Amino acid sequence: MNFAGRRAQLERSILFMGLPEAVLVRVLEAATSVTAAARSVLFHQGDAPERLILLADGLAKMSRVGDSGDPSIIRIMHPGDVLGCVAVFRRAPHPVSATTITDSSLLTWPAPWVLDALERYPALRANSVDLVGHRSEDLVQRLHEMATERVEQRAARALLRLAGQAGKAGGGRRVELGLPVSRQDLAELVGTDLFVISRLLRKWAAMSLLTAERLRITLLDPGGLERIAEGHERTVA
Amino acid sequence: MNFAGRRAQLERSILFMGLPEAVLVRVLEAATSVTAAARSVLFHQGDAPERLILLADGLAKMSRVGDSGDPSIIRIMHPGDVLGCVAVFRRAPHPVSATTITDSSLLTWPAPWVLDALERYPALRANSVDLVGHRSEDLVQRLHEMATERVEQRAARALLRLAGQAGKAGGGRRVELGLPVSRQDLAELVGTDLFVISRLLRKWAAMSLLTAERLRITLLDPGGLERIAEGHERTVA
DNA sequence: CGCAAGATTGAAGGACATCAAAGGGCGTGG
DNA sequence: CCACGCCCTTTGATGTCCTTCAATCTTGCG
């Protein structure tokens, strides 16, 4: 990727937004550009943070496994998102694992360089607070939903989020999810199992809210899903 | 409270830890010391952040309510914890409400002063990243638990956390929770209803894992609860 | 004393997890 | 080109965890 292209990538991210031109150049000089095939592990939960990663293109998931082995997906990352930021900033082990979903291109910086840059460029440090704070507010919202809503609502929300962040508009209200998502993935995202998700998708397909093919979901009626997400609609079996 | 006392309070908090002496003095000069009765609301979810609050003494809960009205407790705050930090740092509405549980004493700073101080004192900004990052890792852990564990495990964990952070050691392994906690509170913390909690507590009391009085819980066998939290123990009815 | 807030208990039903089995796509290798 | 195997998916049956509702009990306090 050329210089101007990378520069545009940087400015899309919360972390590098609005930096002085001089700093931006320095940051770009220090960056290493790499590509990763779909389903490659960028780092493992528990690893010491070696580098900060900007997802320039592609999609990735942040997942966590407990002692019992049950995985859950904490967050789907989209182009412009920064991976591993909390671990690098805090010099602490990665709290989650990062895995690419599609072929992706990344910009990476060594962790020591990042820590040094935070010292040197106050604007970068300011952005990092904003980034982590934003992430934190998302988590608060998800935690609340997980505590108070039923699977059906959470699943509808998950689909709407995916559509909002990785959706390709089709004709009318139609939105096609721009990433391959299996029942298992959705289950880990929602906090349930793939069987429940399968049944939900079929029900919604029957209601013409969406179409669900093998790894490809298209929302036909986002408004209808939103009503389900809000709990206004008690769908009868 | 006297100057030295306040200074000690500050140094206990992640946000003000390790600051240069000169900065610490400035911070103390800008602080307002106030007290709040039990169950007073410090700020409401959705409010614009007016001040940063350090909980010097007492306990508080951060809770969230959704459109449907179901509340959930996101976090219990202990002496040394900072309330409203994300909102102040990001100049965004409070994502949660803060309510004192016991009579509390607080140190507060006006939001504009805090933002100014962040610009002026790099060490403060560095600490703020650490603070918010730490908060964020907690949330990730809680979210994972909520997604993969059953009520019984989560309830056991909640009790152990409360004991760890607000527990007063008694004889032997005995730990008394140092805060008044109702079944309703526990339910909102765990993501269930007070009936399930009531039954669990009675079961555990029968197993001599704890004693549960009106608003006062004492753990008799933290190790036993830990086994339940880890899911090793399939307790039979 | 009587009220209010917290707590207990039972019954009933629904939501969800778990297990078992089998039906399609899709790629690979024969 | 077809067959085979693998992965994703569907579907049913079964049981249990959990919610919901209703009623009662306890305790502290005005």
Side-chain angles (χ1 to χ4, degrees):
Chain A
M1 191 190 311
N2 61 20
F3 189 85
R6 290 193 198 173
R7 192 176 180 290
Q9 302 283 8
L10 245 62
E11 290 191 314
R12 241 198 294 171
S13 134
I14 295 182
L15 184 55
F16 300 108
M17 197 173 286
L19 291 187
E21 184 63 25
V23 175
L24 215 53
V25 171
R26 288 296 189 80
V27 170
L28 278 174
E29 284 170 357
T32 306
S33 179
V34 298
T35 61
R39 300 178 195 208
S40 40
V41 176
L42 301 179
F43 50 77
H44 270 107
Q45 173 181 339
D47 286 353
E50 295 177 3
R51 54 188 150 269
L52 187 74
I53 301 173
L54 174 71
L55 186 60
D57 197 50
L59 293 158
K61 62 178 177 186
M62 315 297 282
S63 57
R64 186 176 176 96
V65 297
D67 301 326
S68 47
D70 311 301
S72 76
I73 296 178
I74 301 297
R75 197 173 206 277
I76 301 287
M77 307 302 266
H78 304 270
D81 274 338
V82 177
L83 287 70
C85 55
V86 174
V88 170
F89 295 160
R90 303 192 67 231
R91 299 177 184 79
H94 284 292
V96 295
S97 303
T99 313
T100 56
I101 297 175
T102 61
D103 292 344
S104 304
S105 69
L106 319 167
L107 290 179
T108 79
W109 294 264
W113 184 89
V114 174
L115 290 170
D116 186 57
L118 286 176
E119 298 281 343
R120 212 190 313 258
Y121 312 122
L124 194 60
R125 179 96 78 185
N127 279 354
S128 68
V129 178
D130 197 49
L131 172 61
V132 179
H134 187 272
R135 208 66 66 82
S136 179
E137 293 193 353
D138 266 10
L139 289 169
V140 166
Q141 167 68 13
R142 295 265 322 271
L143 185 61
H144 175 75
E145 288 170 9
M146 201 68 93
T148 61
E149 298 180 347
R150 346 218 77 186
V151 168
E152 186 166 13
Q153 297 179 55
R154 304 203 306 266
R157 275 190 209 286
L159 288 177
L160 289 168
R161 280 206 186 102
L162 289 175
Q165 299 183 306
K168 297 166 187 165
R173 300 165 303 191
R174 173 187 288 250
V175 184
E176 183 184 341
L177 298 198
L179 76 171
V181 53
S182 70
R183 307 293 181 267
Q184 177 66 34
D185 291 331
L186 270 177
E188 290 176 22
L189 201 50
V190 168
T192 182
D193 56 57
L194 73 167
F195 307 105
V196 173
I197 296 291
S198 176
R199 284 180 235 266
L200 273 178
L201 288 181
R202 280 211 91 241
K203 185 174 80 175
W204 288 341
M207 296 166 68
S208 299
L209 292 172
L210 50 76
T211 63
E213 301 160 48
R214 199 175 162 71
L215 283 169
R216 182 162 227 80
I217 296 175
T218 303
L219 309 190
L220 301 178
D221 180 6
L225 279 176
E226 233 151 70
R227 280 196 298 281
I228 292 175
E230 294 301 332
H232 298 326
E233 202 121 326
R234 262 277 166 272
T235 55
V236 270
Chain B
M1 194 188 309
N2 62 19
F3 190 84
R6 289 194 197 174
R7 193 175 179 292
Q9 301 284 7
L10 246 62
E11 290 192 316
R12 240 196 298 170
S13 135
I14 295 183
L15 185 56
F16 299 108
M17 196 173 287
L19 291 187
E21 184 63 26
V23 175
L24 216 52
V25 171
R26 287 295 190 79
V27 170
L28 278 173
E29 284 170 358
T32 306
S33 178
V34 300
T35 60
R39 299 178 195 211
S40 41
V41 176
L42 301 178
F43 50 78
H44 270 107
Q45 173 181 340
D47 285 354
E50 295 179 2
R51 53 188 150 269
L52 187 73
I53 300 173
L54 174 71
L55 187 59
D57 197 51
L59 293 157
K61 63 178 177 185
M62 316 297 282
S63 57
R64 186 176 175 96
V65 297
D67 302 328
S68 47
D70 310 302
S72 75
I73 296 178
I74 301 296
R75 197 173 207 278
I76 301 287
M77 307 303 264
H78 304 270
D81 275 338
V82 177
L83 287 71
C85 55
V86 174
V88 170
F89 295 160
R90 305 192 65 232
R91 300 178 184 76
H94 284 294
V96 295
S97 302
T99 313
T100 55
I101 296 175
T102 61
D103 293 345
S104 304
S105 69
L106 319 167
L107 291 179
T108 78
W109 294 264
W113 184 88
V114 174
L115 290 170
D116 188 55
L118 285 175
E119 299 279 345
R120 211 188 316 254
Y121 312 122
L124 194 61
R125 179 97 77 185
N127 280 353
S128 68
V129 178
D130 197 49
L131 172 62
V132 180
H134 188 272
R135 209 63 69 84
S136 180
E137 293 192 353
D138 267 10
L139 289 170
V140 165
Q141 168 68 12
R142 296 265 322 271
L143 185 60
H144 176 75
E145 288 169 10
M146 201 68 95
T148 63
E149 297 180 348
R150 346 217 78 184
V151 168
E152 188 167 12
Q153 297 180 55
R154 304 203 306 266
R157 275 189 208 286
L159 288 177
L160 289 169
R161 282 208 184 98
L162 289 175
Q165 299 183 307
K168 297 167 188 165
R173 300 165 303 190
R174 173 187 287 251
V175 184
E176 183 183 341
L177 298 198
L179 75 173
V181 52
S182 69
R183 307 294 181 265
Q184 177 67 34
D185 291 332
L186 270 177
E188 290 176 20
L189 201 48
V190 168
T192 181
D193 55 59
L194 72 167
F195 307 104
V196 174
I197 295 291
S198 175
R199 283 180 236 267
L200 274 177
L201 288 181
R202 280 210 93 243
K203 186 173 78 176
W204 289 339
M207 297 166 66
S208 299
L209 291 172
L210 49 76
T211 64
E213 300 161 48
R214 201 175 163 71
L215 284 170
R216 182 162 228 80
I217 295 175
T218 303
L219 309 190
L220 302 179
D221 180 7
L225 279 177
E226 234 152 68
R227 281 196 296 282
I228 292 175
E230 296 299 333
H232 299 325
E233 204 121 326
R234 260 277 165 272
T235 54
V236 272

